[in-house]
């Protein structure tokens, strides 16, 4: 590695140790080196701190003695067998990371091993510092992890550039945010990135899925309850998530599913910042920024009196409307590359890209499940492929059908090709109606292909199970 010989290093007064030390201490990654005798040779401050120690306390000691983390002890195995391992996912103290284990070889002799750790949530949440040992804090830590920042939002289409610029402008202010977009467009990713770019980033980020929790429980989930507030409640009661989110952000997903009664209570909270636990007499102030997301048209819900108008305006101070993937096709290639990189790390593969034929299909496909579906299609390809380019035969069958109809349609006008796909038009129909009819057909086909198995069908479509259920209700398919 050194371009200078030892005597030259001396002459120029270069110190390899100093250079290594600088690299170690300034790396964004956690680095740990163990010698062939299994003792720690080097560890950087940040990783030692995460392991609740310091380099001084660890260097020179057997790894098994100073490192309680069973994953990192794998270095001992790497020293024995000399086989590198890439892209393993693990966690320390609730922080997820990707780790590569590499043997250090000199003339075919293993001299030690290196662990390179990349944390997926770059910052520690401030509340992690408090009272590490209580069970409550552990729950808080789990819920408050933010994995994504604006840098994780991939896409250079004008729409996405615009959204990312707005995000950076709006995030430091405290306004409530409404994020809209179809399923799989990245609403949660945006919510996390807003928190990460805000002044509240060291506070908690707490998510509540309003569709996943029955209404009767949702109120106590929001506000908490005192011991004895109702039969079956926990001893000591429970702190509500709006209180746990104090100093941070609460992300209310699928806000369109919130009952009318809870909408009124949420509105009161947004106006007064006051929380009253169920069964409690007193109130508390909680300073929380509210970010909500939905894939239903809230304006329509307001129009049909299904959603309170006053709450809608309170929430819709800033609106991020994320366009579906089919409306920003220039993002597809960059996203695909990013997912290939991700799965290369996870699978230990060296996939270099996608064939031209697949690129064409990706450009033509409707992507009903948006970015999530693209990610699933690429992951699926990694599971069935052997070479290092994603080819047509690695795609799910509904995409292959599209490739075939695409080849078949070569040289035809766009209109002729549309009719080859079985889409018919009748007078007076709007684009939205045609889209809905097509979406219904796609769902029926997915259910047929999965033999009625809804979990499989939702996976095939790259949408969540609750997302599929909603569509089944919408199209009277239940
Ligand atoms: N622009 C993007 N760059 C990188 N990854 C993205 C992007 N948009 C979405 N993703 C990824 O796609 C997946 C789905 O995103 P996310 O969960 O945020 O979607 P959603 O809009 O909340 O979907 P749903 O309505 O079904 O809950 C995630 O794995 C997310 O990381
Ligand atoms: Mg979501």
């Amino acid at each position: 590695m050194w371009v200078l010989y030892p005597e030259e290093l001396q002459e120029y007064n270069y110190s390899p140790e100093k250079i290594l030390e600088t690299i170690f201490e300034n790396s964004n990654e956690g680095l740990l080196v163990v010698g062939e005798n299994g003792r720690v040779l080097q560890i950087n401050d940040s990783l030692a701190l995460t392991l609740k120690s310091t380099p001084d306390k660890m260097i020179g000691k057997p790894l098994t003695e100073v490192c309680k983390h069973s994953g990192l002890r794998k270095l001992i195995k790497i020293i024995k067998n000399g086989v590198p391992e890439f892209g393993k996912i693990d966690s320390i103290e609730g922080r997820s990371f990707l780790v590569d284990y590499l043997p250090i070889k000199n003339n075919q002799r293993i001299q030690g091993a290196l662990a390179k750790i990349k944390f997926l949530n770059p910052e520690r949440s401030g509340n992690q510092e408090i009272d590490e040992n209580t069970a409550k804090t552990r729950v808080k830590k789990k819920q408050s992890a933010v994995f994504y920042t604006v840098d994780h939002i991939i896409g250079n289409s004008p729409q996405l550039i615009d959204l990312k610029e707005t995000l950076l402008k709006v995030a430091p202010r405290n306004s409530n945010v409404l994020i809209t977009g179809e399923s799989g467009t990245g609403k949660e990713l945006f919510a996390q990135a807003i928190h990460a770019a805000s002044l509240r980033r060291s506070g908690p980020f707490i998510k509540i899925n309003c569709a996943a929790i029955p209404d009767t429980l949702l109120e106590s989930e929001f506000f908490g309850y005192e011991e004895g507030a109702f039969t079956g409640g926990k001893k000591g009661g429970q702190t509500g998530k709006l209180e746990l989110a104090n100093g941070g952000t609460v992300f209310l997903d699928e806000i369109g599913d919130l009952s009318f009664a809870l909408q009124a209570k949420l509105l009161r909270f947004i106006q007064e910042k006051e929380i009253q636990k169920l069964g409690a007499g007193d109130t508390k102030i909680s300073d929380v920024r509210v970010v909500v997301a939905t894939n239903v048209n809230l304006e329509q819900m307001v129009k049909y009196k299904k959603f309170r108008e006053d709450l809608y305006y309170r929430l819709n101070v800033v609106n991020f409307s994320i366009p579906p993937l089919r409306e920003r096709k220039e993002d597809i290639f960059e996203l695909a590359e990013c997912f290939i990189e991700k799965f290369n790390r996870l699978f230990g593969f060296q996939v270099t890209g996608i064939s031209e034929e697949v690129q064409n299909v990706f450009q033509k496909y409707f992507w009903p499940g948006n970015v999530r579906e693209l990610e699933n299609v690429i992951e699926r390809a990694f599971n069935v492929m052997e070479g290092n380019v994603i080819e047509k035969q690695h795609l799910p069958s509904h995409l292959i059908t599209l490739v075939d109809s695409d080849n078949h349609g070569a040289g035809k006008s766009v209109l002729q090709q549309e009719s080859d796909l079985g889409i018919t038009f009748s007078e007076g129909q709007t684009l939205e109606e045609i889209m809905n009819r097509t979406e219904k057909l796609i769902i029926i086909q997915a259910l047929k292909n999965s033999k009625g198995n809804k979990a499989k069908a939702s996976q095939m479509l790259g949408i969540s199970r609750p997302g599929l259920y909603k569509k089944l209700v919408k199209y009277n398919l239940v």
Side-chain angles (χ1 to χ4, degrees), residues 366 368 423 431-449 457 461 463 468 470-478:
F366 185 73
I423 301 171
L431 176 63
E432 197 180 347
E433 282 164 342
I434 299 167
M435 299 263 243
N436 282 341
R437 190 157 44 87
T438 312
E439 189 175 60
K440 183 173 176 180
L441 289 175
I442 291 171
I443 289 171
I444 293 172
Q445 188 62 52
L447 284 170
K448 270 190 190 160
N449 289 8
L461 295 167
I463 60 177
L468 177 66
K470 265 195 205 157
K471 290 187 190 295
L472 294 178
V473 172
K474 178 175 171 189
Y475 298 122
N476 275 330
L477 293 173
V478 278

Side-chain angles (χ1 to χ4, degrees), residues 187-188 207 251 253-254 372:
K187 295 186 292 297
E188 184 158 352
K207 174 182 163 176
F251 172 47
D253 204 3
E254 316 234 24
R372 183 183 290 115

Side-chain angles (χ1 to χ4, degrees), residues 148 152-155 160 181-190 251 253-254 293 295 322 328 335 338-339 342 371-372 375 463-464 467:
Y148 299 113
H152 294 96
I153 303 176
I154 307 296
L160 265 226
E182 287 180 13
S183 182
T185 45
K187 295 186 292 297
E188 184 158 352
L189 178 64
F190 267 81
F251 172 47
D253 204 3
E254 316 234 24
N295 51 19
I322 310 176
R328 46 182 170 106
L335 281 162
C338 154
F339 294 137
K342 169 179 164 184
V371 183
R372 183 183 290 115
E375 190 173 358
I463 60 177
S464 61

Side-chain angles (χ1 to χ4, degrees), residues 223-226 238-240 243 275-282 284:
F223 300 101
Y225 59 84
E226 289 288 353
Q238 187 167 299
T239 310
E243 188 178 339
I275 291 171
Q276 187 171 27
K277 278 185 177 175
L278 270 75
D282 56 341
K284 269 189 191 159

Side-chain angles (χ1 to χ4, degrees), residues 234-273:
K234 278 188 212 156
K235 198 164 178 283
Q238 187 167 299
T239 310
K241 289 197 171 159
L242 292 177
E243 188 178 339
L244 286 176
N246 189 15
T249 306
V250 70
F251 172 47
L252 305 178
D253 204 3
E254 316 234 24
I255 189 79
D257 285 47
L258 203 62
S259 71
F260 233 71
L262 265 181
Q263 286 176 31
K265 292 190 173 155
L266 178 63
L267 178 68
R268 221 192 108 211
F269 169 72
I270 289 174
Q271 285 169 340
E272 319 287 339
K273 302 272 176 215

Side-chain angles (χ1 to χ4, degrees), residues 333 353-361 389-392 395:
F333 193 62
I354 55 181
S355 73
E356 212 170 294
E357 200 173 21
V358 172
Q359 284 181 37
N360 281 335
V361 183
V389 173
I390 299 177
E391 308 271 2
K392 167 188 154 182
L395 302 181

